[in-house]
Amino acid sequence: MIYDYLIAPFAEFDFMRRALIGSIALAVGAGPIGVLMMLRRMSLAGDAMAHAILPGAAIGFLAAGLNLFAMTIGGLVAGFAVALGAGAVARATQMKEDAALAAFYLISLALGVLLVSLRGSNVDLLHVLFGTVLALDDATLLLIVSISSFTLLALAVLWRPLVLESVDPGFLRSVSRAGAPTHLVFLALVVLNLVGGFHALGTLLAVGMMMLPAAAARFWTRELTAMVGLSVLVGALSGVLGLLISYHWGVPSGPSIILVAGASYALSVLFGPVGGLLPRLAPRRHLEA
């Protein structure tokens, strides 16, 4: 019984194994980035940047169809353009960066949907918006794993300045010239992981694997390294359980993965020892902190 429900789908079907590897790779790369975005209070900015990928991916689709290389390059160029453009608008005008990102996000989403609709069918549009994690081929899987590996390498080299720039960018600028380069590296890692997530989960759901596990981990520990580890673990388990739910109940795989991550967030809000609702309501002993 346990074998039939938990192991057989991955043991018997190659497409399930590919989806499993892709989901775990996404969790490994996107989990730490989600924690850093949460520290920067950029959680909603991640959603805006995920949609910013859409016009570039749509242009790649118009040029070459559902071609991995064309859509990836287009998504990277569009993501960087929107991230840098929103930052430039915020610095050159009185508009806040979150408002600039919101404007770019709405324009990007509308433009991307329009471009895909010019040539593609409703199926193509759904593929771009919601991804096809069960249809990952070797090239796409290699891309996702490569992005996750590069992310881990970059984090290992630049972890301290990335954390410091997330917590107190003013202090980092005052003691080092690494502030601006570190910020650009961080934006690059965000865009890269969103592009990887786009191929598996689509532009509408890619940010879910980045932010929901990080938000859930926040309720279980205050220690940053442990938070990153928990975020990766929650993301990986969400991928496994979401794929199993999709397989056994015949529901879309991408939304299933994100809904499992959402359920883990809801449970963390209720039961998490660091700020969870029920632990906060529980009676405490006299003079207990």
Side-chain angles (χ1 to χ4, degrees):
M1 182 68 70
I2 294 178
Y3 176 85
D4 291 337
Y5 276 96
L6 301 181
I7 300 175
F10 302 114
E12 297 176 7
F13 298 101
D14 185 60
F15 71 90
M16 288 291 289
R17 289 195 294 272
R18 293 173 186 269
L20 177 65
I21 295 171
S23 300
I24 293 175
L26 284 176
V28 170
I33 301 299
V35 172
L36 291 176
M37 291 193 73
M38 192 169 56
L39 286 178
R40 292 166 176 259
R41 299 182 180 180
M42 289 179 60
S43 301
L44 291 177
D47 186 55
M49 293 175 67
H51 291 87
I53 294 169
L54 185 55
I59 292 173
F61 172 77
L62 288 177
L66 294 174
N67 180 275
L68 175 66
F69 179 78
M71 295 181 72
T72 298
I73 295 300
L76 287 173
V77 171
F80 284 123
V82 167
L84 296 176
V89 169
R91 286 166 176 78
T93 67
Q94 295 182 345
M95 178 174 283
K96 299 292 185 182
E97 190 169 14
D98 60 341
L101 275 171
F104 276 89
Y105 143 68
L106 293 170
I107 296 169
S108 299
L109 180 61
L111 179 61
V113 171
L114 177 63
L115 289 174
V116 174
S117 301
L118 286 177
R119 174 177 169 179
S121 64
N122 289 335
V123 174
D124 295 322
L125 183 59
L126 289 175
H127 171 87
V128 172
L129 292 178
F130 297 104
T132 52
V133 68
L134 293 180
L136 295 178
D137 56 17
D138 288 340
T140 307
L141 198 59
L142 180 61
L143 173 68
I144 294 173
V145 172
S146 298
I147 289 173
S148 296
S149 300
F150 177 78
T151 299
L152 292 181
L153 179 62
L155 290 174
V157 174
L158 298 172
W159 179 247
R160 288 188 177 182
L162 280 171
V163 172
L164 186 56
E165 207 265 336
S166 299
V167 176
D168 193 347
F171 176 75
L172 181 62
R173 285 194 297 268
S174 68
V175 300
S176 173
R177 295 181 179 179
T182 300
H183 185 67
L184 290 176
V185 169
F186 175 73
L187 289 178
L189 292 176
V190 173
V191 173
L192 280 171
N193 281 275
L194 288 175
V195 168
F198 152 74
H199 286 295
L201 301 172
T203 58
L204 294 183
L205 298 177
V207 73
M209 187 63 90
M210 185 176 289
M211 296 314 308
L212 284 172
R218 168 64 181 81
F219 286 95
W220 296 95
T221 180
R222 290 187 175 90
E223 206 277 317
L224 186 59
T225 304
M227 196 180 301
V228 168
L230 280 174
S231 177
V232 172
L233 179 62
V234 170
L237 290 177
S238 298
V240 174
L241 294 178
L243 289 172
L244 289 173
I245 291 172
S246 172
Y247 175 83
H248 289 296
W249 281 274
V251 294
S253 52
S256 298
I257 292 172
I258 302 304
L259 284 175
V260 172
S264 70
Y265 169 73
L267 291 174
S268 300
V269 171
L270 289 175
F271 302 106
V274 183
L277 291 177
L278 294 182
R280 292 183 65 181
L281 295 176
R284 298 179 179 179
R285 286 177 289 183
H286 182 57
L287 298 180
E288 183 179 0

